[in-house]
Structure formats: structure tokens, C-alpha cells
Amino acid sequence: MNIPFLDIWRRRHESERSPLVPVFDRDPEGAAELLAECELLRARAQEAGVRLDDTPRSLAALDQLPPRWRDDPEELPWVGNDAGLYLGTVLVRTVPSAGWRLRPDGQPVVRLGSGREIDVVAAGLDWAATGAPELSQIYAESAEF
């Protein structure tokens, strides 16, 4: 069925799609590797002597870092974004049936086997800004499902 206004709507919204969408479509494992990079967070953790090895134990170590990024309003959202993506990476790599999914707006979330979705980026931003909830707590609550 050809509905002209839908073609116009699709073209307009195609330009609004996240650049991750084609990567997820072509190579979901490659996209997961990109999401796992978290360069700024890994650099800050390394400076503090914390090794991020994609385990729940490393989330607890991150929770103990002094939040120096809060002193820099430009760095805080980047650390928060990385913290969320790192939390998602640990969930996907250690919780059976957890996987990355992109919302229609391009936001990466983790979908658990139960169907529950965790907005890990929002959780990471909250953690970076306030320290609560702790990343290890979010992991523990999510891993139960």
C-alpha cells in the first residue's frame, strides 16, 4: 500500500536516527564493542588505580572512586555517559540473556531476559552527578531478573 505522507515522514525521521542504528543493524557485536570502550571512564579509573575488567567487582570499585569529575561541569556528563555504558557492558557480558537494544530515538538500553529494559545511560548520569544509586546496586538489582 502506497501512502505518500508516510514516505515523507520516514525520510524526515531517517535523518534523526542515531548513527548507531546502521552499526547495530549490520554488526551488533561490533556495536557492543563500541559501547564498551568508555575511554574517559577507563582513563579516570586507571588514574585512581582501578582496573575495569568488565566484572561486577569493578562496578563496586568505581563506586568507591572520589568523584573529581563533579568539579568539571563539562566532564561530568561524559563520565556519566561512559559509566552507564560500562554498566551496560558488564550486564551484557555477565547476565545470561541480557543484550543491547536501541530505542527508536537511538538511546542504547540493556534488555534483560525478562523483557525489562534498563536505561543504563540515565543511571550512569545519575551516578556521576550524585553517586546514587551506586552502579553495583543497579547491577545487583538487574541481575536478579
Side-chain angles (χ1 to χ4, degrees), residues 52-70:
L52 299 184
D53 58 2
D54 301 344
T55 64
R57 184 177 55 253
S58 64
L59 293 172
L62 279 175
D63 289 334
Q64 302 307 311
L65 288 180
R68 292 188 179 99
W69 55 83
R70 290 186 196 147

Side-chain angles (χ1 to χ4, degrees), residues 35 38 41 75-87 107-108 120-121 124-125 128:
L35 295 174
C38 314
L41 181 70
E75 185 172 318
L76 188 142
W78 291 103
V79 170
N81 188 71
D82 277 7
L85 295 176
Y86 184 72
L87 169 63
Q107 179 74 20
V120 291
V121 172
L125 290 168

Side-chain angles (χ1 to χ4, degrees), residues 3-18 104-105:
I3 305 174
F5 76 87
L6 282 179
D7 290 336
I8 294 168
W9 182 88
R10 281 190 192 112
R11 269 182 281 185
R12 184 175 55 226
H13 286 79
E14 282 287 316
S15 65
E16 297 172 3
R17 288 176 27 160
S18 165
D105 64 358

Side-chain angles (χ1 to χ4, degrees), residues 102-114:
L102 285 182
R103 288 187 178 163
D105 64 358
Q107 179 74 20
V109 295
V110 172
R111 177 175 277 179
L112 303 174
S114 66

Side-chain angles (χ1 to χ4, degrees), residues 23-140:
V23 176
F24 261 84
D25 290 345
R26 281 190 323 270
D27 183 12
E29 289 179 22
E33 288 302 315
L34 284 174
L35 295 174
E37 286 181 2
C38 314
E39 288 183 42
L40 181 59
L41 181 70
R42 289 181 189 277
R44 295 298 171 262
Q46 185 176 10
E47 290 168 5
V50 173
R51 183 171 173 267
L52 299 184
D53 58 2
D54 301 344
T55 64
R57 184 177 55 253
S58 64
L59 293 172
L62 279 175
D63 289 334
Q64 302 307 311
L65 288 180
R68 292 188 179 99
W69 55 83
R70 290 186 196 147
D71 297 334
D72 184 347
E74 290 184 21
E75 185 172 318
L76 188 142
W78 291 103
V79 170
N81 188 71
D82 277 7
L85 295 176
Y86 184 72
L87 169 63
T89 297
V90 174
L91 283 165
V92 168
R93 291 185 176 168
T94 62
V95 175
S97 71
W100 286 108
R101 183 180 102 59
L102 285 182
R103 288 187 178 163
D105 64 358
Q107 179 74 20
V109 295
V110 172
R111 177 175 277 179
L112 303 174
S114 66
R116 179 178 172 215
E117 288 186 352
I118 316 273
D119 187 343
V120 291
V121 172
L125 290 168
D126 288 344
W127 172 83
T130 66
E134 291 183 335
L135 298 173
S136 58
Q137 177 186 353
I138 298 167
Y139 175 86

